[in-house]
Structures are given as structure tokens and as C-alpha cells.
Amino acid sequence: MKILLIGSGGREHALAWALAQSKNCTALYCAPGNAGIEECADLVNISVEDIDSLVAFAREKSIDFVVVGPEGPLVVGLADALKGAGIPVFGPSKAAARLEGSKAFTKDLCKKYNIPTAAYGRFTDLAEAKSFIAELVRKKGIPVVIKADGLAAGKGVIIAQSEEEAIQAATDMLSGNAFGDAGAEIVVEEFLDGEELSYFALADGKTILPLTSAQDHKRAYDGDQGPNTGGMGAYSPAHMMTPALEEKIITRIIEPTIKGMIQEGAPFTGVLFAGLMVVAGEPYLIEYNVRFGDPECQPIMMRLQGDLLQILLAAAQGRLAEIKNDVSWSEKPALCVVMAAEGYPGPYKKSTPIRGVGRADQIGGVKVFHAGTAKGEDGTLLSTGGRVLGVTATGETVGEACRAAYRAVDLIDWPEGFCRRDIAWRALQGQEAAE
Ligand code: AMP
Ligand code: GLY
């Protein structure tokens, strides 16, 4: 089969690495890809948002299957366009991608189908938003959470520590100053005080195939300090995951969502990534994403046992029930440390040289996934983005995976880069307590 993968991040390198191992993968293209993905795919210089060119390329090369990495092209209808051209695709339709593209849509779905989530209101009118904020503060206290409805590159959520800050955030969003059109509608919601967890399940429109869990680290610096980022590291499975919690997540959250989407006339095909808050052992939905997480995908792909191509194809073709028994997970946990450009998530330098990645890759159990990299004219590896590498390792325990990953990090010579040194600290604390 000839496969086209869409995207250019660490998630896509992990997907490319796993897809290339399939016995049925005869050719793998990636648009636009990065310097690491080049080891297993032919790079195609088309941007992820350029739907017409992507469809034209898939036709020209007689691509058999397209796998979409990021949410952006899904929310604007890439899967619909490919299907319209008769090309099978892994990823939801535009209508189903509203689960990520519109926070208000998802909150209404939760309400209608009784899916546990924070109490909320949705507003386009500032005066109404203000009185709801005042009421929420009176009933539940602070913080209060203000969210732009649409996609805002992970920045559209403000955890306001006072009523004034909440009103300011609502004002900025609704005036269009903060996030443009994405903030034309806002969601105001109750703050849930618990521990976050990422959970992944495949769906083929009707059947679900639960995958596994991970825990991300969203803040830029150690000790969960500093600004929010796309994720500075992740490990899988998450330390607090138990069969009982997984059962609750599947039956109370994932299943009603997939059934609800059928009822709404927008069946969901692809991977459903539930961002959850676990409060006193009970899971609440914070948000949905309609794609794999980045960096969660990197440790998850290292744990996957089974043929990723067959699994994603079965999801795209409505055959998940047939392959349920072909998916299993390594008992060994995996962990990914993100190396980012100094300054990220603020302004940072580009085109700085990175050395030693080959050495790091040779450590047992380690795989360095690239995110923002390109090759310079003389073959030197250069940084091209904020998040640049995902140094990923497996081990018998999270502690062992963690030590291997940081050993690899320490072999990478990149003065303009930084990483957190405490990925998986919650799991490691639990492990020490158990010993
Ligand atoms: P998002 O951009 O939707 O991933 O949200 C960013 C972060 O805001 C989440 O990862 C949570 O840490 C936090 N967050 C969002 N909604 C809530 C909520 N209702 N209660 C507590 N934290 C929240
Ligand atoms: N790591 C969080 C995300 O992919 O949205």
C-alpha cells in the first residue's frame, strides 16, 4: 500500500516510524515532514492546510490511504475532500472534528448525553457572560475558566484567579482582540481541581477500540511552573490508571460520545483523545482532540504491539470489531522528553545546529523523534521550530525509561535548546512511595 501521512511534528515522526514497520507499507510519503521523518518517508513539500494540493498529490501518486496527524486540516475538511476523491483516510470529517474545533459544541454534546464535565455557559454577549461569571464565582468560588470556542493553538484557555481577571479575559476574547474569530464565542466554566490524564480510543463511526493512557506536562519549566506549552514531555501509561478508572472513562465518556455523534448525524472516525480531569477518582471531560496527542503519541507508539497500518485502516473502513484482538501494549512504560528552543513558547531562535542525535539514538530502548528539524546544506541538523526533538525511551519501570531518556538527552549537543528534567515526576513519586 502507498501511504500519505500529513504533518510535520514529533507525533508524525512517531506515526511514520510505526507505519513504515508494517509489512503492507510499500511506499510512505509525508507532507511536509521533517528531517527525522526523512529516514522512513519521502518528504512532499505541501503544507497541511493546502487541501487542494494534498488531494491532487494523492491522486497523482495513486495513494491507497491517507493518515492525518494534526487537527487543523481536519477541522477545515481534509478528510471530506479525500473521501470525495475516493481516497480512504484516517481522521474525522469536518462535522465530527467539531469535537475539537468547537468547545461549545462539545460542552452541549456532554450536556445532552450526560457526559461528566465542568458546569458551563456559552456566550457571544459580554453582558450575559459577565453575569454568568459573577454567579459562578458566588456558587463555586475562583478560579474560573474562560475558553475561546475555536482553535487557538493551545492558548485559548485562561484560568482566571479573580472575577476581574475572568471578565477581562471574556472581554478580550469577545472583542476579537485575543484570538480573532476563534474567540467570537466563549465558554465559561467551573474549575475542576484534580489530576490530568490523556486517554485515547479509536472509533470507526460505530465501534470503539480503547487504546491507552498517557500523562502530559503542559508547563514549560520544572515543577509545573512557567507558561503553558503544547506539551514538554509525556509518559504512558499514566500512573493513576486502573482497570476501574478505565472502565468509567469508556462507559461514561467515550461510548456516549461516539453514540451521541451518530445521533447528531456526524459519526466519528479516527482517534478520539480525551483530555480528562480525575477528581477524587472520578473522570471529567476537559476537552476532546480529534487526533493523537503530541508528545503523547511518541511513547504510545513505542508501546504499541500490532501493525499500526492495519489498525488505522480498520478504523477508516469500519472494521475495528474485526481487529480488536490484534492490538496490545508492551508492559514496559515509555517516556518522552521534549527538547525545545530556548525561549519557547515565546519567541526563539531558529536554524541553530544540533549535534549528537545519532549517538543518543543508539542507547538501548531509545528513539529520538524529530519535531522542528531540517537538514542544512552541509547536512548539519538545524532547529526549525519551538518543540524540536522528542527523546523517547522504554524501560522495565518508568524510572528506568526516565534514566535512559535523560542519558540520551545528555548526549545531544544543542546549546540553544532546553528541556524539563522532571518528566513523569508524579509517577516517580508514586514508585518511590511504593518501594
Ligand atoms: P486546553 O487548551 O483546552 O487543553 O486547556 C488547557 C489547560 O487548561 C488544560 O490542560 C487544563 O490544565 C486546564 N483546564 C481547562 N479547563 C479546565 C477546568 N474546567 N478546570 C481546571 N483546569 C482546566
Ligand atoms: N499534548 C497535548 C496535545 O497534543 O494537545
Side-chain angles (χ1 to χ4, degrees), residues 11 216 218 230-231 273 287 289 291-296 387:
R11 164 182 55 213
D216 191 11
K218 289 225 165 85
F273 160 8
E287 61 162 5
N289 300 298
R291 47 161 177 95
F292 282 105
D294 189 341
E296 290 96 324
R387 291 190 297 171

Side-chain angles (χ1 to χ4, degrees), residues 333 396-401 403 426-435:
E396 292 298 329
T397 60
V398 182
E400 205 180 289
R403 282 189 291 278
R426 287 188 182 83
L428 295 171
Q429 227 169 37
Q431 217 168 58
E432 275 163 24
E435 276 163 12

Side-chain angles (χ1 to χ4, degrees), residues 232-250:
M232 293 299 293
Y235 69 98
S236 171
H239 78 99
M240 75 276 222
M241 193 44 118
T242 59
L245 178 59
E246 188 163 19
E247 178 73 15
K248 287 180 192 170
I249 293 168
I250 293 169

